[in-house]
Amino acid sequence: MKQYLLPENGNFYKVNMHSHTNYSDGVQSPEELKEIYKAQGYSAIAYTEHEALFDLTHLDDEEFLALTSYEYALGNNANPAHSFYEGKPTCFADVEQMHLNLYAKDPHNVKQICFNPKYIGQKQKDLLGEMSYVGEPDYQKTWTIECINEIIKTARDNGFLVCYNHPNWSMNTYETYSKLENLNMLEINNGASNRGSDMDYTPYVYDQMLRLGKRISCVGGDDNHDRIHFFKAWTMVKAESLTHENILNAIENGDTYASSGPEITELYYEDGRVYIKCSDAAAIHLYTAGRRRARTPEIKDGKPITEASFEVKESDFYFRLTVKDAQGNYANTRAYFLDELK
């Protein structure tokens, strides 16, 4: 029986899951960002301002949604991000960070889980007035894995989806991210930090977390602060229609894929094999929990690849697919664990 891994029905909507405007440390206004991204075929933007949660649903129209969200940051000031220091680090760039994007399932929910006063500018204070939050406002004083997991759990319990952002830029090691719990997703591609260096295209982090049994999806976002960061990484969401409820439910269900170029048009499982159809590709790869890998044959006579199928074995535990185009851009499905398959 054919089981669609991306829903058979509905539409694909292009979403920037990570953005900043002049409400925090970006350049463009929310209104300007909407028009710029709509012109490039985007259907939604998550306005993830630093430490400040805004209801921007007045920007919604029949072809666009402003997703209510924000980015929360912790800095481990006692821990240098590399081993060349003696004593405490002296520069922000050398301090281990933890950045989380929190997405409100109710678009009118502006009661923040917490915030870090260090990162709030005067404009945010002026726009927000008195901040409304759940629990302690500032967890910065107690950087521990237990504290980070408490933040994630509190966010989930209060109607937010939680994404773990740019692990490489944050200088996180396996020691940190292996202990994170209750996440919804990993930002597998951060457009800003990946723009010139591949610094935050991190499928290896995704695989390591999956092998630990963390059932999370993967997303992409620009993390745009100005035009140099536009249109680098995005998330395609398959949903019945363009509403906040449908889009957030689809993101929570993992009816998505992350991309910096290729399109995936169909993905399903049938009789022990996974099938994929996509835009013109140079290669399609299968990854599993173990060493078993598979890929399409090399392109011959310049003819691109647009579909593939791979055997799925009981010993794989999970599988995920990556589509690579001729320009070196990637589309990544989430991981599908075998107990999800009919």
Side-chain angles (χ1 to χ4, degrees):
M1 183 177 73
K2 183 182 291 187
Q3 178 182 351
Y4 282 89
L5 304 178
L6 290 170
E8 179 182 13
N9 301 315
N11 303 298
F12 280 110
Y13 297 100
K14 192 173 185 178
V15 181
N16 180 7
M17 294 287 288
H18 192 164
S19 70
H20 299 282
T21 73
N22 60 8
Y23 277 23
S24 59
D25 61 347
V27 173
Q28 289 76 25
S29 70
E31 292 80 6
E32 288 171 332
L33 212 61
K34 169 186 172 177
E35 295 308 319
I36 291 168
Y37 274 80
K38 273 190 70 175
Q40 293 295 319
Y42 284 74
S43 299
I45 294 175
Y47 287 92
T48 51
E49 309 296 358
H50 291 288
E51 313 303 327
L53 183 61
F54 297 98
D55 180 348
L56 297 174
T57 54
H58 64 277
L59 298 176
D60 291 356
D61 60 38
E62 292 183 355
E63 299 176 336
F64 181 83
L65 296 178
L67 304 184
T68 304
S69 49
Y70 78 107
E71 185 172 20
Y72 177 68
L74 299 91
N76 188 1
N77 295 322
N79 186 42
H82 51 74
S83 60
F84 303 107
Y85 279 102
E86 293 183 2
K88 292 183 178 181
T90 57
C91 174
F92 165 81
D94 295 314
V95 172
E96 184 180 14
Q97 299 282 311
M98 173 61 61
H99 285 216
L100 304 170
N101 274 348
L102 279 61
Y103 307 93
K105 291 194 279 187
D106 175 357
H108 304 299
N109 174 17
V110 291
K111 194 166 187 179
Q112 295 183 204
I113 300 307
C114 48
F115 64 92
N116 185 343
K118 177 180 177 181
Y119 296 108
I120 295 179
Q122 188 59 49
K123 183 163 188 176
Q124 288 135 297
K125 293 177 182 177
D126 294 341
L127 289 165
L128 284 167
E130 184 176 353
M131 298 182 73
S132 175
Y133 56 87
V134 177
E136 295 295 327
D138 177 18
Y139 284 88
Q140 187 70 12
K141 298 175 183 176
T142 55
W143 165 288
T144 62
I145 292 297
E146 291 75 18
C147 167
I148 297 167
N149 283 334
E150 180 185 349
I151 294 167
I152 297 169
K153 184 178 185 304
T154 302
R156 294 285 300 272
D157 289 346
N158 284 273
F160 289 85
L161 306 180
V162 183
C163 180
Y164 170 37
N165 295 344
H166 46 60
N168 204 2
W169 180 92
S170 297
M171 299 294 183
N172 299 142
T173 63
Y174 182 86
E175 178 66 19
T176 295
Y177 59 73
S178 66
K179 296 175 182 176
L180 297 176
E181 301 293 343
N182 294 311
L183 291 166
N184 294 97
M185 60 201 100
L186 164 74
E187 187 179 62
I188 197 171
N189 197 342
N190 178 284
S193 58
N194 191 43
R195 179 175 60 89
S197 64
D198 286 348
M199 184 178 187
D200 255 299
Y201 174 56
T202 53
Y204 68 94
V205 174
Y206 190 40
D207 278 319
Q208 288 173 346
M209 296 181 79
L210 292 171
R211 291 188 195 111
L212 292 168
K214 300 181 189 298
R215 300 196 178 206
I216 57 178
S217 61
C218 60
V219 297
D222 275 341
D223 196 4
N224 52 279
H225 296 77
D226 202 355
R227 293 179 183 272
I228 59 171
H229 303 141
F230 287 176
F231 321 133
K232 304 300 182 186
W234 56 88
T235 301
M236 298 301 295
V237 180
K238 189 79 178 282
E240 183 178 344
S241 62
L242 187 65
T243 68
H244 284 274
E245 182 179 11
N246 286 343
I247 294 298
L248 269 295
N249 283 344
I251 292 170
E252 185 172 23
N253 292 338
D255 296 333
T256 61
Y257 68 88
S259 184
S260 58
E263 296 179 359
I264 298 173
T265 56
E266 192 171 42
L267 184 67
Y268 64 90
Y269 172 83
E270 185 176 32
D271 297 332
R273 298 186 71 85
V274 59
Y275 295 81
I276 186 171
K277 294 183 180 180
C278 61
S279 58
D280 289 356
I284 303 173
H285 296 257
L286 172 84
Y287 298 93
T288 72
R291 288 193 177 94
R292 193 176 83 84
R293 303 283 191 271
R295 60 160 292 166
T296 51
E298 296 290 339
I299 291 179
K300 293 182 179 180
D301 302 322
K303 187 176 181 181
I305 297 164
T306 58
E307 60 184 310
S309 74
F310 301 98
E311 181 184 7
V312 176
K313 296 186 177 182
E314 188 174 339
S315 57
D316 290 337
F317 293 101
Y318 72 78
F319 63 86
R320 63 180 189 86
L321 298 174
T322 294
V323 178
K324 182 180 180 181
D325 68 18
Q327 291 72 46
N329 299 310
Y330 292 89
N332 287 275
T333 75
R334 73 167 173 93
Y336 296 91
F337 285 78
L338 268 57
D339 59 13
E340 299 179 59
L341 306 178
K342 296 177 183 178

